[in-house]
Amino acid sequence: MGSFSVVYGKSIGMLFANTFSERQNEFTHPYLYVCILCIVISVISQTHFLALGLKYFDALFIVPVFQCFFITLSILGGAIYWRETDNFNATQWFVFILVTSLLRPVMFP
């Protein structure tokens, strides 16, 4: 749930950028309000499920698992939804895969 808030946050930021750069007034379109509603629901759900996990399990287990999933799914969400990896060359793909695969040992030593 938390990684969706990153995608919605970037969407809202880009809509605001369009509005304030005077390209188009995004406040007249419902997509902005849908994104705001979705980010609110996402953040509330993320906090609720994190609190439930901390209620039933040790924080030394929950917090690293939460962070690992949050970072990994945020990276994948940006790569898929925003197509951030479409123009990667071989070196960029190598570094991307290397760094994302190193997240697991860093989060779970």
Side-chain angles (χ1 to χ4, degrees):
M1 292 302 287
S3 62
F4 289 126
S5 65
V6 175
V7 173
Y8 295 130
K10 183 172 180 179
S11 296
I12 292 168
M14 293 185 75
L15 292 170
F16 281 166
N18 280 345
T19 299
F20 295 126
S21 67
E22 299 177 9
R23 288 187 204 158
Q24 182 176 354
N25 185 4
E26 298 294 345
F27 288 102
T28 61
H29 301 285
Y31 183 69
L32 174 66
Y33 302 105
V34 169
C35 284
I36 291 172
L37 177 67
C38 288
I39 196 170
V40 168
I41 290 170
S42 175
V43 169
I44 290 171
S45 299
Q46 167 190 350
T47 306
H48 171 72
F49 289 120
L50 181 59
L52 276 179
L54 290 170
K55 179 179 178 181
Y56 293 110
F57 299 100
D58 189 23
L60 291 174
F61 174 72
I62 292 296
V63 173
V65 168
F66 169 78
Q67 279 296 334
C68 188
F69 275 98
F70 181 81
I71 292 169
T72 304
L73 293 176
S74 294
I75 291 169
L76 292 176
I80 294 168
Y81 186 76
W82 295 104
R83 305 180 77 179
E84 294 174 343
T85 58
D86 282 357
N87 298 322
F88 273 15
N89 60 31
T91 305
Q92 290 171 320
W93 272 112
F94 175 75
V95 172
F96 178 76
I97 292 170
L98 177 69
V99 170
T100 53
S101 66
L102 289 177
L103 281 177
R104 186 183 169 278
V106 169
M107 298 306 271
F108 300 107

